[in-house]
Amino acid sequence: MADPILSIIGNATIMTFTHAITRRPGKDMASGITTSMLGPADYVKALDQFDAYVDALNGCGLSVTVLDPLEGYPDCHFVEDAAVVTPDIAVITNPGAASRKGEVPSIAAALQHFRKTVWVQPPGTLDGGDVLMVGRHFFIGLSDRTNQQGARQLGEAVTGFGCTWTPVPVAAGLHFKSSVNAVSEDTLLLTREFADHPALAGFHRIVISPQEAYAGNTLLVNGRLIMPAGFPKTRQQLQALDRPIVELDVSEFRKMDGGLTCLSLRF
Ligand code: CIR
């Protein structure tokens, strides 16, 4: 008999998005959490990059809400970590980093116009960057930010709406989606560390060269691929999918361990 999870994945349709929530970076963005050692982020440059990002989402047909920066929360523009929005509900997270927990109420307030909200309760922790939804299946990374209890709470919440989920240990990168993202209904773009992971075996896999690992954080929005600028090998690999590709410079967000997926909630 076919594996029930793989048969759901096999029939996956990627959600069509109509909205995105984003947040403009604050002046203190360079004091957010980072391990990148790429130097200090330039706020003015980051604002330009953010504006281009919002333009790109608009270009994909999304209506984009831009929230104001949250004073005292230098990572607040990485809104993806504060919630997981499904077609049915918005799961408000309990971010794994202590300095980011206060970002959550204002994201919940913005989402309550669109979805019923469900909250991850401590001791569960969850960052949205660890959650990849493909069709009606959720891969939930277990990382330094997302623990077993947090993953289980999300998993149980989405199971109530007929979805399935698999926990996946994240041994490399900050979040699961730092390394693995869907680039079509049945294809994942991923780094070498995840290439042979049994949980991902039901997909076609495009494995990124180790020098271009950052490009694993590529975003599929309504048929377009938005990828970070400066990764020619990955671009060439993605061209095989025959979809429009938009390259964006996100250098200042990369310095803060973030990238394209983290800068918005799409639904
Ligand atoms: C953090 O460490 O929490 C931020 N500096 C970066 C968050 C990036 N978010 C994401 O990949 N989903």
Side-chain angles (χ1 to χ4, degrees):
M1 206 175 94
D3 178 324
I5 290 178
L6 289 187
S7 59
I8 287 173
I9 292 169
N11 294 329
T13 47
I14 300 280
M15 208 169 144
T16 299
F17 302 124
T18 53
H19 289 85
I21 291 177
T22 64
R23 191 191 291 285
R24 196 172 292 288
K27 285 196 174 70
D28 58 352
M29 67 163 292
S31 49
I33 309 167
T34 184
T35 57
S36 78
M37 301 204 292
L38 292 172
D42 180 324
Y43 168 62
V44 174
K45 211 167 157 188
L47 284 185
D48 284 346
Q49 293 180 352
F50 176 81
D51 288 341
Y53 179 78
V54 171
D55 286 349
L57 293 181
N58 281 142
C60 296
L62 307 196
S63 161
V64 183
T65 300
V66 181
L67 302 173
D68 288 332
L70 267 187
E71 214 183 312
Y73 293 95
D75 282 311
C76 64
H77 46 285
F78 296 124
V79 290
E80 177 183 64
D81 295 320
V84 176
V85 188
T86 81
D88 312 295
I89 46 169
V91 178
I92 308 302
T93 69
N94 176 25
S99 65
R100 301 199 58 192
K101 293 187 192 289
E103 296 173 21
V104 156
S106 70
I107 293 295
L111 282 169
Q112 73 184 359
H113 306 294
F114 300 99
R115 297 283 191 282
K116 178 178 184 285
T117 55
V118 173
W119 295 64
V120 173
Q121 302 295 337
T125 63
L126 182 82
D127 274 16
D130 279 317
V131 183
L132 176 65
M133 182 179 185
V134 191
R136 303 283 293 173
H137 188 76
F138 288 77
F139 293 100
I140 309 179
L142 301 174
S143 68
D144 288 347
R145 302 290 178 87
T146 297
N147 65 18
Q148 297 269 2
Q149 295 102 311
R152 194 174 330 111
Q153 287 180 44
L154 172 63
E156 285 172 2
V158 299
T159 300
F161 293 91
C163 296
T164 49
W165 66 286
T166 317
V168 186
V170 176
L174 174 60
H175 290 123
F176 183 60
K177 281 191 295 194
S178 307
S179 307
V180 183
N181 284 280
V183 287
S184 80
E185 289 71 14
D186 59 2
T187 308
L188 299 178
L189 179 69
L190 35 63
T191 58
R192 204 167 272 180
E193 288 81 1
F194 289 88
D196 298 318
H197 196 291
L200 309 177
F203 289 88
H204 297 298
R205 279 154 285 160
I206 299 177
V207 182
I208 299 174
S209 88
Q211 300 84 346
E212 298 202 354
Y214 181 73
N217 194 247
T218 284
L219 186 55
L220 174 63
V221 184
N222 297 351
R224 294 186 195 195
L225 291 166
I226 306 180
M227 68 175 294
F231 299 93
K233 279 192 196 161
T234 309
R235 186 186 170 111
Q236 208 168 26
Q237 288 171 292
L238 289 174
Q239 272 161 350
L241 294 170
D242 203 21
R243 290 174 182 251
I245 297 177
V246 179
E247 282 192 40
L248 290 182
D249 185 2
V250 283
S251 61
E252 303 317 295
F253 300 108
R254 184 181 184 188
K255 288 175 182 172
M256 305 310 299
D257 289 348
L260 289 162
T261 63
C262 343
L263 288 170
S264 63
L265 286 160
R266 304 149 304 271
F267 51 95

